[in-house]
Amino acid sequence: MTNPVERIANRLKEIIDKNGPNYLMDEPYETYMLLVESKTADRRTGGAILQLLVSGLLQKVFSESDYETLSRSIQKECSLNKKMADRLAAILLSLYSGENKERWKTRDLEGLNQFLSEEFSCTWKGFAVWDAGNGTVDCHYEAKIKLAPTKAISEDAKLAELIKKNPFMKKEDIRDHFEKRLRAELDYEFEEYCTEDDYYQPVVEDFGGNLECCLEEWCKENGFEFVSCEGDGDDDGYEPKFRKGWY
């Protein structure tokens, strides 16, 4: 069973591993809540850690690796007694050990590099309703899409913001970021295709040409290369609005 110092240091490491190296300083209160709600730290120790994070003293752990010097700095800057300051100094030195710092250095942009090295594949299912006023047609389209990410995705402002906040961002989260954007774009295009004419029912099977053009344009705008797309569409047939219960 780990002692309280090791237990808190390990929990803080888990928080950094998940959210990035700046999370403790950027989200001091959330860090406090994660420690206390998980019962990793009692409220008194958690409160002292919160005080330490808010003070900005965390930066000193990189320059003051000596236990006694760090403890004195914590006592002075955070107005804590020697016993609590010693505990926090031990937690910080365990958390920011040479081994941990080296591991975090190797994880920097690891998820982004992994994402760039793999093909981006997804299945998209589109749905829209063509409404003729006196009846409707439910339209469906399903496609298997393959794209290749390029280094140009680093120019994406939103992604750059996310990675700046968390350089440990996983490839799965980067994928979700682009997949949600792509799906939203395709949903919009399919809706526009199916509803642009109030008088002529859309030929859903012919959406493939529009889909490919849309994908190529999206790739140019988002830093991808178009690889392939296979899809097909169908509809549920015209259904008069008076059909249900009209007798």
Side-chain angles (χ1 to χ4, degrees), residues 14-246:
E14 290 173 358
I15 293 171
I16 290 176
D17 286 344
K18 180 180 179 180
N19 301 289
N22 299 322
Y23 186 84
L24 304 188
M25 292 177 287
D26 292 343
E27 303 291 346
Y29 184 72
E30 290 300 322
T31 300
Y32 161 77
M33 291 302 296
L34 288 169
L35 290 174
V36 173
E37 289 182 349
S38 65
K39 301 186 186 307
T40 304
D42 59 79
R43 290 192 175 274
R44 186 163 175 266
T45 303
I49 292 172
L50 174 60
Q51 192 172 346
L52 170 68
L53 297 178
V54 171
S55 73
L57 190 62
L58 192 59
Q59 294 286 2
K60 285 199 171 185
V61 74
F62 296 103
S63 58
E64 296 182 1
S65 56
D66 175 76
Y67 175 82
E68 293 296 338
T69 303
L70 184 57
S71 178
R72 285 195 297 270
S73 294
I74 294 172
Q75 290 179 65
K76 179 181 177 182
E77 299 295 334
C78 301
S79 300
L80 296 172
N81 61 39
K82 185 177 187 305
K83 182 178 180 181
M84 182 60 76
D86 284 349
R87 184 182 302 175
L88 296 190
I91 291 170
L92 291 180
L93 291 177
S94 176
L95 175 62
Y96 292 102
S97 66
E99 181 181 354
N100 285 345
K101 287 192 286 188
E102 188 62 31
R103 172 59 184 141
W104 288 328
K105 187 186 298 183
T106 63
R107 284 197 59 200
D108 202 39
L109 302 181
E110 183 180 57
L112 177 61
N113 291 329
Q114 289 175 348
F115 180 76
L116 286 169
S117 67
E118 298 175 2
E119 190 174 69
F120 179 87
S121 301
C122 72
T123 298
W124 167 74
K125 294 182 179 181
F127 174 77
V129 178
W130 177 71
D131 192 336
N134 60 349
T136 61
V137 174
D138 289 346
C139 305
H140 309 270
Y141 200 93
E142 183 171 349
K144 293 182 179 180
I145 300 164
K146 291 184 180 180
L147 309 176
T150 72
K151 290 185 178 180
I153 68 169
S154 60
E155 298 173 11
D156 180 76
K158 181 60 178 178
L159 179 63
E161 181 183 331
L162 292 171
I163 289 179
K164 182 178 180 181
K165 187 174 182 180
N166 181 10
F168 299 165
M169 189 175 182
K170 295 181 179 179
K171 66 177 182 179
E172 292 82 5
D173 294 328
I174 298 174
R175 175 190 170 81
D176 287 345
H177 167 73
F178 284 109
E179 189 168 320
K180 287 177 182 177
R181 183 183 295 178
L182 176 59
R183 289 183 187 279
E185 181 68 19
L186 297 182
D187 287 345
Y188 172 79
E189 290 294 331
F190 190 58
E191 175 74 20
E192 288 290 295
Y193 176 84
C194 293
T195 61
E196 66 177 350
D197 197 313
D198 294 336
Y199 302 102
Y200 293 96
Q201 179 178 333
V203 182
V204 183
E205 297 87 342
D206 292 346
F207 179 67
N210 295 59
L211 175 59
E212 189 165 324
C213 289
C214 177
L215 286 170
E216 290 177 347
E217 187 62 29
W218 188 89
C219 285
K220 291 177 184 177
E221 294 176 354
N222 292 275
F224 287 76
E225 290 181 354
F226 176 75
V227 178
S228 66
C229 176
E230 296 180 0
D232 195 13
D234 60 74
D235 62 62
D236 295 340
Y238 182 80
E239 182 175 348
K241 290 186 176 179
F242 55 79
R243 176 175 294 175
K244 295 180 179 178
W246 69 291

